[in-house]
Amino acid sequence: MRALVISGGGSKGAFAGGVAEYLIKEKKYKYDLFLGTSTGSLLISHLALGKLDEIHDIYTNVDMNKIFNINPFIIKNKNGVDIVTINHFSIIRQFLFKKRTFGESKSLLKLIKSSLSITEFNELKSSDVDVVVTVTNISNDETEFKSIKDCTYDEFCEWIWISGNYVPFISLVTKNECEYGDGGFSSLVPIQAAILRGATEVDVVILETETKKTKQIVGKNPFSLLIDLFRITLGQVEKQNITIGRLMAGNRDVKLNLYYTPIKLTNNALIFNKKDMTKWWKQGFDYAHKKSTIMSEVLLP
């Protein structure tokens, strides 16, 4: 049983899309399980359907307005570098309406429903392929995995949306009397879940470099500093997930193929820039091709 696992990573999901396109279109890999967290959850339904052109079009044309209905950020470009500043108007509005998050992402839910039809949902649900998204139950401090097999159309679209809700910058959602947020808070790289579901070979796309190569630039205002602190925390979750996944794979004789980003793509994955994401998709495709070629040469007698 072969699985494709895609980690969280916001706009860097475009790189994962390029890797997946190469594995599916060029290598002709057939997956029994697609499992994603956050941006990975947004990708996997189209990948499972084989609709690579459609998801490529979405990821290379998305912008901030298609994610946020209330955007807490203002992006300024200084000397070729995107700087995140606070959208004071939006945040004051949220406080006045007694909201608990800086922004809201209802536009993302609309995008999900417009890009995944009920017919496509039913096609996937009735197939032999399982599609699973990761969410964090904040109320119970637990990771939950939501399979398309167990959901209605509206439920599944909402779980995909919730999986990518990077609280407190994006919507906090109440479902089943619990409050939910981004799956990455508890399982950024859900290798373990894929193995527990029976995978014997897992292709894992990790939207970070394997080793830290550059000194981090710390935020110049409280808002960007908060983003940096979240990034550090999620980095620790990522390392733990990969370590546990490797140990479990070794104990169960599961083959892991890890695809890291070869370079640091961005300091803020909450910035959705069409030009950058188009470039990252191509970089992901080219990287997977290069890695596959090297692996083939190593395996030659």
Side-chain angles (χ1 to χ4, degrees), residues 3-17:
L4 177 63
V5 171
I6 300 179
S7 81
S11 57
K12 295 183 290 183
F15 181 92

Side-chain angles (χ1 to χ4, degrees), residues 195-243:
I195 296 173
L196 289 174
R197 288 173 179 267
T200 54
E201 183 166 3
V202 188
D203 295 319
V204 188
V205 186
I206 303 165
L207 295 171
E208 277 294 344
T209 56
E210 188 167 5
T211 58
K212 185 187 291 186
K213 297 181 179 180
T214 58
K215 187 176 181 180
Q216 298 294 335
I217 300 173
V218 180
K220 301 299 183 183
N221 60 64
F223 208 53
S224 56
L225 179 59
L226 183 60
I227 293 172
D228 289 335
L229 293 174
F230 270 73
R231 173 179 48 76
I232 292 168
T233 300
L234 292 179
Q236 297 305 310
V237 174
E238 175 189 270
K239 290 176 183 177
Q240 183 183 57
N241 292 162
I242 295 169
T243 299

Side-chain angles (χ1 to χ4, degrees), residues 276-289:
D276 287 340
M277 294 174 73
T278 301
K279 178 178 67 177
W280 295 342
W281 188 289
K282 184 178 186 306
Q283 286 177 342
F285 185 93
D286 292 342
Y287 170 74
H289 173 67

